[in-house]
Amino acid sequence: MNTEMITAAIDQYGYLGIVFLIALENIFPPIPSEVVLVFAGYSTLHTNLGILGATFAATFGAYIGALILYVVGRFLNVDQLKRFANSKVGRIIRLKEDDIDKTASFFNKHGGWTILFGRCVPVIRSLISIPAGMTRYPLGKFSLLTLGGTLLWNFILINLGHYAGKAWRQMLVMIDEWLYVLLAFAVIIVGVIWLVRKVKKKA
């Protein structure tokens, strides 16, 4: 799906377009969520879309896609998934064995936190739901971590698109170059929120 199709869907369908595109992106990694989110942010300047509304729409869409892959993980093992990756459909959606191995290894090493922070990493954010399903990771925790990670990431990128304005395409280039800086920023925000909550509980 090219940039023009993505922008046309958002222009025509608004929040529903965002929900659909982000849900699809979570299932089919080749669809660039950065384009969807940054353009959605830009759209808040000349349509009736709002920053919070777009953020919640994107988060809802991401959760739908993540939940579908979580359920898929419940019924598949790694070998079956790799066979699918090598099938015609798997090649069409550009699913790769290396991505599967990388995501599974990432999840096994870092556990639940991977669900939270993996939502900010390309490819991993789409596939991380599958090993979570395979390992029967608790659905409640999975849902909270997924919603938390995607809400934060969506909010950041939508705001970047909003403040970039007509320069939103240039912002996409900067995001590619500064992706891990943005990820570190997201981690710091989560850490600060966690510390504040911990201090309040002790008070």
Side-chain angles (χ1 to χ4, degrees):
M1 185 177 289
N2 59 35
T3 302
E4 286 68 29
M5 292 174 66
I6 290 171
T7 57
I10 294 174
D11 280 337
Q12 186 169 355
Y13 299 106
Y15 293 126
L16 285 177
I18 295 172
V19 171
F20 174 75
L21 289 169
I22 292 295
L24 202 60
E25 182 270 339
N26 269 261
I27 300 170
F28 303 112
I31 297 176
S33 68
E34 287 84 359
V35 175
V36 179
L37 297 171
V38 173
F39 180 76
Y42 167 61
S43 295
T44 62
L45 297 173
H46 62 271
T47 68
N48 60 356
L49 295 179
I51 290 177
L52 287 180
T55 300
F56 287 129
T59 302
F60 180 60
Y63 180 66
I64 291 173
L67 193 60
I68 289 171
L69 291 183
Y70 177 87
V71 172
V72 168
R74 287 277 185 134
F75 295 97
L76 290 180
N77 57 44
V78 174
D79 290 336
Q80 290 171 324
L81 192 59
K82 285 182 177 180
R83 283 198 294 273
F84 175 73
N86 290 318
S87 69
K88 187 175 181 179
V89 176
R91 288 193 293 272
I92 290 173
I93 65 173
R94 300 179 188 177
L95 185 61
K96 301 175 182 176
E97 281 194 40
D98 287 347
D99 291 337
I100 295 169
D101 287 333
K102 194 183 301 182
T103 304
S105 174
F106 196 54
F107 180 82
N108 290 332
K109 185 176 181 181
H110 300 288
W113 288 107
T114 309
I115 300 171
L116 178 67
F117 297 118
R119 298 296 169 190
C120 307
V121 182
V123 179
I124 286 178
R125 69 166 160 254
S126 298
L127 297 179
I128 197 63
S129 304
I130 295 176
M134 287 177 173
T135 57
R136 301 293 195 274
Y137 193 84
L139 181 58
K141 288 184 178 179
F142 170 82
S143 297
L144 287 174
L145 292 169
T146 295
L147 290 169
T150 52
L151 180 67
L152 178 63
W153 190 244
N154 295 339
F155 183 73
I156 290 173
L157 264 66
I158 287 171
N159 270 278
L160 287 176
H162 175 83
Y163 290 107
K166 291 182 179 179
W168 69 273
R169 290 180 186 272
Q170 289 88 325
M171 181 58 68
L172 288 173
V173 176
M174 291 179 64
I175 289 171
D176 285 339
E177 294 175 350
W178 293 87
L179 177 63
Y180 291 101
V181 174
L182 287 171
L183 176 57
F185 179 65
V187 171
I188 290 170
I189 291 177
V190 172
V192 169
I193 293 172
W194 180 79
L195 284 173
V196 169
R197 291 182 64 184
K198 191 172 182 181
V199 170
K200 283 184 177 179
K201 283 182 179 180
K202 287 184 177 181

